[in-house]
Amino acid sequence: APVRGPSIVVSTIPPVVGPRHDIVHPFHLETESLTTKSVESDKEGIMKLPVVKRGMVQTALGSIFYLVSDGRTSRTVIDKAPILCFHMTPRSSDEYFEVLPLLAAGSATDDDGNDGIHDGRVVIAFDIPGYGASENPTRSCTVDEISDAFLKAADSILADDDGDDDATAAAAARSYVAVGSLLGNYFCLSLASRRPERIQAGILTNPWFS
């Protein structure tokens, strides 16, 4: 049966970004928590936002740095599509630093208005090879090759996090939401056009029209 293509949203409104954050050498800080926040819910109690962690993942193009925020209440359950964020140039994953926990957080009420903290999702922001803390690729590479490296990196991160023997196979069948800014939009479109079964939806911010 034909695969239905992902929904693509194009926005000319600048993305919600925070200030630049100095990034020390990531090899000494794998999975270290960078920040944790709490926000008042509109119901009783406090809803805590998930922390932002950082790490490195090995790919065919070299080591890629990433930030990740996990809003799931159970790490073995993924019922909401993880979000992959691709930054503009010249920049790094810090473009999404402030918004990661907001995207990952669950909600204080469900769609029907019932109380209770409901499950969030995993959100990952990558440094493009050659930018931020990611290694320079050892050779010239195309947008498609970088996009494929990001997809495999995301599968690897989630498979390692799940800690299940079947996690790698499950990750390979998982679909994502892709978010891009300027240059990052090319990676979203590359994946959506070539791997529609892996991209559930795409959000393109700051597209460049010539």
Side-chain angles (χ1 to χ4, degrees):
V3 177
R4 182 179 178 181
S7 301
I8 301 294
V9 177
V10 179
S11 173
T12 56
I13 301 175
V16 179
V17 297
R20 295 186 62 87
H21 294 264
D22 293 333
I23 298 178
V24 298
H25 201 285
F27 288 106
H28 302 297
L29 294 166
E30 291 190 11
T31 69
E32 178 181 334
S33 299
L34 297 180
T35 184
T36 181
K37 302 177 181 178
S38 296
V39 294
E40 292 280 354
S41 69
D42 54 358
K43 302 295 181 180
E44 292 184 1
I46 298 293
M47 182 175 70
K48 291 185 177 180
L49 294 180
V51 299
V52 177
K53 298 180 179 181
R54 52 182 156 190
M56 299 289 287
V57 58
Q58 187 63 38
T59 73
L61 302 179
S63 294
I64 290 180
F65 177 84
Y66 65 90
L67 299 175
V68 60
S69 189
D70 189 347
R72 295 174 295 170
T73 54
S74 172
R75 296 199 171 211
T76 61
V77 176
I78 297 183
D79 55 5
K80 293 183 179 179
I83 299 176
L84 307 182
C85 301
F86 309 118
H87 63 82
M88 67 174 69
T89 179
R91 197 69 191 264
S92 67
S93 55
D94 77 328
E95 179 177 357
Y96 295 100
F97 182 87
E98 298 289 341
V99 79
L100 281 179
L102 299 175
L103 293 174
S107 58
T109 60
D110 62 17
D111 293 338
D112 297 323
N114 299 315
D115 293 345
I117 305 301
H118 295 273
D119 211 18
R121 69 178 79 215
V122 180
V123 186
I124 305 171
F126 293 104
D127 281 1
I128 298 170
Y131 290 83
S134 289
E135 291 182 342
N136 287 318
T138 57
R139 58 176 177 81
S140 296
C141 47
T142 66
V143 167
D144 288 347
E145 288 176 319
I146 296 174
S147 301
D148 288 340
F150 284 145
L151 188 61
K152 291 180 180 178
D155 289 344
S156 177
I157 292 167
L158 291 175
D160 289 344
D161 190 53
D162 292 338
D164 188 346
D165 292 339
D166 297 326
T168 301
R174 183 174 296 131
S175 62
Y176 296 94
V177 173
V179 178
S181 173
L182 286 173
L183 175 63
N185 292 330
Y186 288 96
F187 305 120
C188 293
L189 293 173
S190 171
L191 290 173
S193 61
R194 296 181 304 107
R195 303 295 302 276
E197 76 282 1
R198 300 299 312 278
I199 302 300
Q200 187 177 111
I203 301 174
L204 312 181
T205 59
N206 290 327
W208 181 262
F209 297 103
S210 59

